[in-house]
Amino acid sequence: MPRPTTPPPPRRIGRPGARRPLRQRLRLPVDPFIASLLGTVLLAALLPARGAAAPLVSDAATAGVAVLFFLYGARLSAWEAWEGLKHWRLHGTVLTVTFVLFPLLGVAARLLVPTVLTPQLYQGLLFLTLLPSTVQSSIAFTSIARGNTAAAVCSATFSSLFGILLTPLLAAVLLHTQGGISADTVLEIAEQLLLPFAAGQLLRRWITGWTARHRGVLTLVDRGSILLVVYSAFGAAVVGGMWGTLSLLRLAALLLVESVLLAVVLTLTLLVGRRLGFVREDVIAIVFCGSKKSLASGVPMAAVLFPGPAAGLMVLPLMLFHQLQLMVCAVLARRWGAAPRPTGPAGPTAPTPPVPALQHTG
């Protein structure tokens, strides 16, 4: 006689993810590196370098900038970038957005001074619009959204390469750094930015294996150098008394202006990409590569172009925009990645290549 079986207990029906730990449900998309930056700013506010320590910190920050750009040169493959020229319409669109549309919007924001932005915050906002695109987050978000990852790699690389030349020149023209374009300005930029980058490119074939084996250590060097530059810049601003001119209301206004700026660029890149006839995967790459601004490039460039206390306020808008673009683009990437893929006569589109190894902070 068969034994009676006990029916299984009824399953509890609820919302997906309702039984996940509270810590996971309340998790916010805050970049750990941004948390480190905020901690560094707090440290600079409480314990800035003073007296004999100030020039030592400044010299260390200058050395950190050279190390950063040497590593950038060692990592960027000029051959891969040259091969990527085959998709020149897409790359040209991204570069136009990065170095033409963004600066034009930055110049237009001059109308917000002094009612919404202080002159110092506006200068930082304008400097932000002149920077190249990120590398790491542009590629990652394009891949998550199932866009053209290979094109994103090339576009981000081109933006970084062009930014080393175009950003200082645009800053000298639009921000009148150090009195405008002068021989001393060009030599200083070449010495602190271009020379280390060129050295990294020349030595790349011999140190590529070494950098690949020590990727984790070099990432710490990257981030540590950026944190050192931030500490030096913000500490000098604290000692110079420039923070007394800021208020929470002004910071809130800056965040609102940057939110509008990001929304405008995201919308325009999406519309322009579709208008120019790009396929869905290419439009995704254009949106994510064209809407980003690089913190990793912006911090050391600000230290070179705006020495002294001014560098702190020049970097502040970039730090806020960096976290804002990560949060907004993370939501967009997840939403587009979960959307059904369009099919054509030949079936679904080809799968997106996997994300390449990301080696430095965007």
Side-chain angles (χ1 to χ4, degrees), residues 199-347:
Q201 281 281 291
L202 291 175
L203 297 176
R204 185 179 186 275
R205 60 176 299 183
W206 293 285
I207 63 176
T208 298
W210 182 84
T211 56
R213 291 192 301 270
H214 299 84
R215 185 177 303 160
V217 175
L218 295 180
T219 298
L220 293 178
V221 173
D222 271 0
R223 298 188 173 190
S225 300
I226 294 174
L227 293 177
L228 180 60
V229 174
V230 169
Y231 174 78
S232 175
F234 278 86
V238 171
V239 174
M242 297 185 65
W243 290 106
T245 61
L246 289 180
S247 65
L248 291 178
L249 183 60
R250 289 291 190 180
L251 290 177
L254 173 63
L255 186 59
L256 177 60
V257 171
E258 291 188 337
S259 300
V260 173
L261 175 65
L262 180 59
V264 169
V265 175
L266 285 171
T267 302
L268 290 179
T269 50
L270 181 62
L271 295 178
V272 168
R274 291 174 175 174
R275 185 74 174 179
L276 293 179
F278 289 103
V279 298
R280 178 181 183 274
E281 289 78 7
D282 289 349
V283 172
I284 290 174
I286 291 171
V287 169
F288 286 125
C289 293
S291 62
K292 301 288 189 306
K293 288 298 177 180
S294 175
L295 181 72
S297 298
V299 170
M301 284 185 180
V304 173
L305 296 173
F306 313 101
L313 286 178
M314 297 301 293
V315 171
L316 180 60
L318 175 59
M319 290 178 58
L320 293 177
F321 189 83
H322 182 78
Q323 181 60 28
L324 182 65
Q325 71 184 10
L326 289 180
M327 295 173 65
V328 173
C329 291
V331 174
L332 285 177
R334 286 195 295 264
R335 179 175 298 179
W336 289 347
R341 294 178 71 90
T343 59

